[in-house]
Amino acid sequence: MGRVTALRPVLRVRAERRSHRPDTLAVEEPMEIRVGGRALTVTMRTPGDDFDLAAGFLVAEGVVRAAEDIAGIRYCAGATADGANTYNVVDVALAPGVPLPETSLERNFYTTSSCGLCGKAGLEAVRTTAPWDLTVDDLRVSCRTLALLPERLRAAQRVFDKTGGLHAAGLFAPDGELLCLREDVGRHNAVDKVIGHALRAGRLPLRGTILMVSGRASFELVQKAVMAGIPLLAAVSAPSSLAVDLAREQGLTLVGFLRGSSMNVYTGAERLPPHRGPAPSAVS
């Protein structure tokens, strides 16, 4: 199996002092996802939770909706010329009756760790018909609870503490309990790993949950949340205009710039009712 971290030599400069030392870095390696033996895409990811990554990717593409749609996932042996297994090629076998992905979903170029849509064959291919109606999800979350999530997400990032170079995605309950956390060099990969974990556990749709991400809220992350039935997506940074448009269209609550007690609610503000308790006492 691939390693999550690796050591590389570095010249460390602190003011006028220089020293040579090894530095711990996050590993980034390609992973090819195949469906029924046919190559679908290559993504740059941090090794680990690869089966969840593949399953979550297929959820976001509208290929699968439930654990029963997948007959099995395996690493492909003989991925190199000498027949060795690199654990960088994953093949997903769909259950009988589940259609293979359309050829329009195939990537013309590999997917980078920073952008999961590079090489996508047209924006319309991304606008997959959502299988779940988010408008009927009655999730309600207090802003006070939401304000706690960035710190809880950060506290659970074990690999980030060693490298400082990984994104995180966390699935939370309405009371702020962390249900699942995944780290990766790519934001979209971390989200796919969370969603794939939920799919394989038979938990889709993820009604009444909150998806918290460590970076910005792109169109693609909104799409992934919608396809998994998640009613609220929160990010520590900004959303894109297209992300806001899609969130509004699909009934997703989208929160950006979630830092401390401040946040911007771009869509679905009804899920964040105002606090009705007594106002804090003034400090004299």
Side-chain angles (χ1 to χ4, degrees):
M1 302 292 290
R3 294 178 299 167
V4 177
T5 61
L7 295 177
R8 295 292 185 271
V10 62
L11 170 63
R12 184 174 183 178
V13 179
R14 296 294 183 270
E16 295 300 319
R17 301 182 61 182
R18 297 188 175 203
S19 61
H20 292 271
R21 51 167 288 181
D23 194 23
T24 302
L25 304 177
V27 169
E28 183 176 27
E29 292 181 355
M31 188 183 87
E32 179 180 315
I33 299 176
R34 299 177 182 175
V35 177
R38 188 183 72 183
L40 183 63
T41 191
V42 176
T43 185
M44 300 300 296
R45 96 309 187 191
T46 300
D49 303 301
D50 290 335
F51 290 0
D52 289 344
L53 172 57
F57 176 83
L58 294 180
V59 170
E61 300 296 346
V63 178
V64 299
R65 298 184 180 182
E68 295 75 22
D69 292 340
I70 296 178
I73 307 177
R74 67 182 181 91
Y75 287 108
C76 294
T80 63
D82 60 1
N85 196 330
T86 63
Y87 296 99
N88 284 336
V89 181
V90 172
D91 192 15
V92 181
L94 300 179
V98 178
L100 291 171
E102 298 179 5
T103 56
S104 62
L105 294 180
E106 294 181 4
R107 269 46 171 179
N108 296 322
F109 306 100
Y110 71 86
T111 301
T112 71
S113 58
S114 61
C115 173
L117 299 180
C118 299
K120 192 84 173 190
L123 184 61
E124 289 304 314
V126 183
R127 291 185 178 275
T128 313
T129 302
W132 323 110
D133 183 3
L134 298 187
T135 63
V136 301
D137 196 308
D138 59 0
L139 171 71
R140 295 294 183 271
V141 182
S142 72
C143 290
R144 291 185 176 184
T145 297
L146 207 58
L148 300 173
L149 301 191
E151 182 58 32
R152 291 182 179 178
L153 185 76
R154 172 66 184 85
Q157 287 188 255
R158 296 180 180 178
V159 182
F160 182 89
D161 285 337
K162 299 177 181 179
T163 66
L166 289 181
H167 288 285
L171 190 70
F172 289 87
D175 62 359
E177 177 190 359
L178 178 61
L179 304 174
C180 177
L181 178 134
R182 293 292 185 266
E183 294 179 277
D184 200 278
V185 288
R187 293 187 311 274
H188 64 285
N189 288 337
V191 171
D192 278 342
K193 289 178 178 181
V194 168
I195 294 174
H197 172 78
L199 173 89
R200 299 175 69 208
R203 295 194 55 201
L204 293 193
L206 286 167
R207 301 189 195 281
T209 61
I210 305 159
L211 180 63
M212 177 78 215
V213 296
S214 60
R216 61 186 179 87
S218 64
F219 171 86
E220 183 194 19
L221 297 193
V222 171
Q223 172 76 5
K224 291 179 184 296
V226 167
M227 295 302 291
I230 299 172
L232 195 157
L233 171 63
V236 299
S237 191
S240 67
S241 61
L242 199 56
V244 173
D245 293 344
L246 181 62
R248 181 175 293 109
E249 173 188 310
Q250 296 293 333
L252 175 84
T253 298
L254 181 59
V255 178
F257 293 107
L258 178 55
R259 302 169 185 175
S261 60
S262 66
M263 64 194 76
N264 289 349
V265 183
Y266 293 89
T267 62
E270 66 278 0
R271 291 197 174 101
L272 303 175
H275 182 68
R276 300 188 182 281
S281 300
V283 178
S284 58

